């Protein structure tokens, strides 16, 4: 497997943060005080158990498809870069334009608010231009084969971001594209979301390692990305879901087999949340499953994150949700609006995490 390395394009010498902006990157105080030039170097890629490696062997470019395609050092360096670029943007500086002259094709076969706007705005803020291609524009696999789409878009653009149903579609894009591909959600996983979540946890708790993150609900794409993160960075991940709605067995088995994190799958949300640093929720019926929504509402009784469950979790627990949320279904209105809810900083961090991911895969 090829070694990867990259340098975060920001230099602290070049940055002039107002002191208030430091609150946006409390994670890396040592870097702020001690190191003048930030080097986001990583010497090796982690073993990937899910797909191709993060450096495409054919083209030599990097993709961002699974968090577990990267080693811990690289993931932490990307998060550090996210924090730095976020601070720069928060300071009002609009002169950091590494994507200037670059173009991104964004493929969406499913709806989106956060992913579309955060990618488009984030790429624009760093100088780039993006093109939205909705379900009617491309009709992936119907009007045209994925392998043809990948090669045509590679001729016009510098990077592809795609949100698709079948995970194989994103793997096919990476196989045939000659430019980096970033996964903006598949039925299997949602790596950009969990990178933003990790950044948010680091900002609020000070660290990700050693925290207890308890996901309550369906064992879905969000859970798979948490498991893939847990196979790289050590923390305690618990998924509390109804019987029959557990995450993919193979992903759980492989994540546990890395021995990196403590991973538990349970059907008891009350027991699971005790001592949590984060209680996390997502919709019970994901995109593509909406016809099951009514049935799932019955089966998922007892898995709503409400004020009583947060009380059991304890006073240090934050509430997180990838959004969109169905208030009154998987989470109460009161929990989303509570002081311990960090869902909106979490949503904002999609932009910053993704900017850092794009800088990484573009080698900038
Ligand atoms: N969390 C998330 O991916 O939101 P969207 O579906 O709105 O993009
Ligand atoms: N599990 C949800 C996540 C939305 C961001 C879905 O796939 O619809």
């Amino acid at each position: 497997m090829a070694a990867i390395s990259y340098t975060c394009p920001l230099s602290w010498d070049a940055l002039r943060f107002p002191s208030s902006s430091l609150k946006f990157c409390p994670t890396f105080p040592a870097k702020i005080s001690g190191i003048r030039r930030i080097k986001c170097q990583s010497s090796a890629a982690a073993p990937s158990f899910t797909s191709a490696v993060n450096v495409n062997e054919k083209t030599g470019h990097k993709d961002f498809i699974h968090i577990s395609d990267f080693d811990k050092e690289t993931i932490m360096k990307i998060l550090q870069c996210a924090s730095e670029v976020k601070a720069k943007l928060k300071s009002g500086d609009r002169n950091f334009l590494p994507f200037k002259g670059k173009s991104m094709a964004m493929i969406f076969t499913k709806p989106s608010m956060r992913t579309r706007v955060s990618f488009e705005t984030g790429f624009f803020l760093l100088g780039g231009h993006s093109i939205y291609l909705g379900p009617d524009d491309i009709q992936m696999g119907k009007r045209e084969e994925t392998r043809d789409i990948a090669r045509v878009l590679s001729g016009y653009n510098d990077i592809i971001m795609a949100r698709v149903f079948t995970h194989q579609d994103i793997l096919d894009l990476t196989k045939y594209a000659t430019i980096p591909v970033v996964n903006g959600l598949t039925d299997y996983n949602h790596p950009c979301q969990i990178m933003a979540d990790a950044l948010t946890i680091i900002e609020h708790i000070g660290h990700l390692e050693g925290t207890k993150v308890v996901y309550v609900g369906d064992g879905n794409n969000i859970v798979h990305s948490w498991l893939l993160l847990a196979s790289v960075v050590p923390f305690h991940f618990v998924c509390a879901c109804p019987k029959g709605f557990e995450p993919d067995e193979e992903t759980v088995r492989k994540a546990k087999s890395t021995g990196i994190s403590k991973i538990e799958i349970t059907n008891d949300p009350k027991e699971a949340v005790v001592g949590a640093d984060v209680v996390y929720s997502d919709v019970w019926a994901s995109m593509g499953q909406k016809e099951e929504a009514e049935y799932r509402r019955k089966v998922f009784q007892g898995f709503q994150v409400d004020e009583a469950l947060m009380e059991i979790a304890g006073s240090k627990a934050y509430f997180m949700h990838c959004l969109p949320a169905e208030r009154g279904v998987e989470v109460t209105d009161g929990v989303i609006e509570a002081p311990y809810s960090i869902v909106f900083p979490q949503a904002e961090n999609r932009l910053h995490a993704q900017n850092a991911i794009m800088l990484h895969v573009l080698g900038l």
Side-chain angles (χ1 to χ4, degrees):
M1 191 181 296
I4 54 166
S5 71
Y6 78 107
T7 303
C8 181
L10 276 179
S11 155
W12 286 104
D13 288 337
L15 301 181
R16 296 287 180 271
F17 297 142
S19 56
S20 63
S21 72
L22 295 180
K23 71 175 181 283
F24 297 110
C25 51
T27 12
F28 311 108
K31 301 287 180 194
I32 292 166
S33 60
I35 298 175
R36 303 289 293 167
R37 169 80 184 158
I38 299 292
K39 283 195 186 298
C40 301
Q41 296 289 346
S42 172
S43 55
S48 167
F49 58 68
T50 46
S51 78
V53 294
N54 60 330
V55 176
N56 187 307
E57 280 166 1
K58 198 173 65 176
T59 61
H61 70 249
K62 297 170 195 162
D63 302 304
F64 197 83
I65 305 300
H66 317 96
I67 292 174
S68 59
D69 294 339
F70 300 86
D71 64 3
K72 177 184 160 194
E73 193 185 0
T74 305
I75 292 299
M76 297 314 289
K77 293 282 165 66
I78 292 172
L79 293 173
Q80 181 178 321
C81 255
S83 188
E84 293 165 13
V85 178
K86 175 176 180 176
K88 186 154 184 71
L89 289 173
K90 286 287 184 184
S91 76
D93 192 328
R94 292 293 180 269
N95 295 313
F96 178 56
L97 303 169
F99 299 148
K100 193 169 177 199
K102 298 206 180 292
S103 173
M104 169 168 61
M106 304 193 301
I107 301 171
F108 283 92
T109 64
K110 293 178 172 181
S112 170
M113 193 257 275
R114 276 145 291 275
T115 304
R116 179 186 173 174
V117 178
S118 57
F119 264 102
E120 190 165 332
T121 305
F123 203 64
F124 166 77
L125 285 173
L126 300 193
H129 169 73
S130 55
I131 302 149
Y132 171 77
L133 298 158
D136 291 339
D137 298 314
I138 286 211
Q139 298 175 34
M140 189 181 262
K142 281 190 203 146
R143 184 168 184 264
E144 204 160 5
E145 288 194 25
T146 304
R147 56 188 167 160
D148 293 350
I149 292 167
R151 284 173 286 186
V152 172
L153 289 179
S154 296
Y156 303 141
N157 297 283
D158 298 283
I159 184 168
I160 294 171
M161 191 286 302
R163 164 168 289 193
V164 295
F165 283 92
T166 314
H167 197 64
Q168 188 59 46
D169 283 344
I170 200 111
L171 299 179
D172 288 346
L173 279 174
T174 65
K175 186 171 174 191
Y176 290 98
T178 55
I179 57 176
V181 177
V182 178
N183 179 351
L185 180 147
T186 72
D187 287 347
Y188 176 67
N189 70 343
H190 197 2
C192 292
Q193 177 68 55
I194 274 50
M195 289 293 283
D197 299 345
L199 179 64
T200 311
I201 289 173
I202 291 168
E203 286 177 344
H204 284 81
I205 299 176
H207 54 95
L208 172 62
E209 286 193 37
T211 56
K212 180 178 180 183
V213 177
V214 182
Y215 175 97
V216 180
D218 183 30
N220 62 14
N221 45 8
I222 293 289
V223 177
H224 296 150
S225 278
W226 275 114
L227 289 165
L228 299 185
L229 178 64
S231 24
V232 179
V233 179
F235 62 102
H236 183 183
F237 179 67
V238 188
C239 170
C241 50
K243 280 198 170 61
F245 292 87
E246 288 87 359
D248 174 60
E249 263 178 38
E250 185 69 353
T251 304
V252 174
R253 189 186 66 72
K254 287 186 170 172
K256 282 185 175 174
S257 75
T258 64
I260 302 285
S261 293
K262 183 175 176 186
I263 294 170
E264 296 175 288
I265 312 296
T266 169
N267 305 121
D268 185 344
K270 290 197 178 84
E271 196 181 283
V273 297
V274 174
D277 294 290
V278 170
V279 176
Y280 196 110
S281 173
D282 183 17
V283 289
W284 291 341
S286 286
M287 290 178 274
Q289 301 173 329
K290 295 301 176 190
E291 72 286 351
E292 295 176 25
E294 210 179 303
Y295 164 70
R296 284 173 175 251
R297 281 189 192 202
K298 291 183 192 126
V299 180
F300 281 71
Q301 284 312 306
F303 286 82
Q304 184 187 63
V305 179
D306 58 13
E307 289 82 341
L309 195 68
M310 291 303 294
E311 188 78 29
I312 295 170
S315 56
K316 73 172 167 36
Y318 286 104
F319 174 71
M320 297 180 76
H321 191 305
C322 56
L323 304 179
E326 290 190 49
R327 294 176 187 231
V329 182
E330 77 276 4
V331 58
T332 60
D333 187 65
V335 166
I336 291 213
E337 297 296 342
Y340 50 68
S341 167
I342 52 174
V343 298
F344 298 113
Q346 177 188 1
E348 182 186 331
N349 275 338
R350 289 293 303 279
L351 184 151
H352 304 295
Q354 290 157 192
N355 275 348
I357 289 165
M358 291 190 286
L359 286 166
H360 176 65
V361 295
L362 285 167
L364 297 170

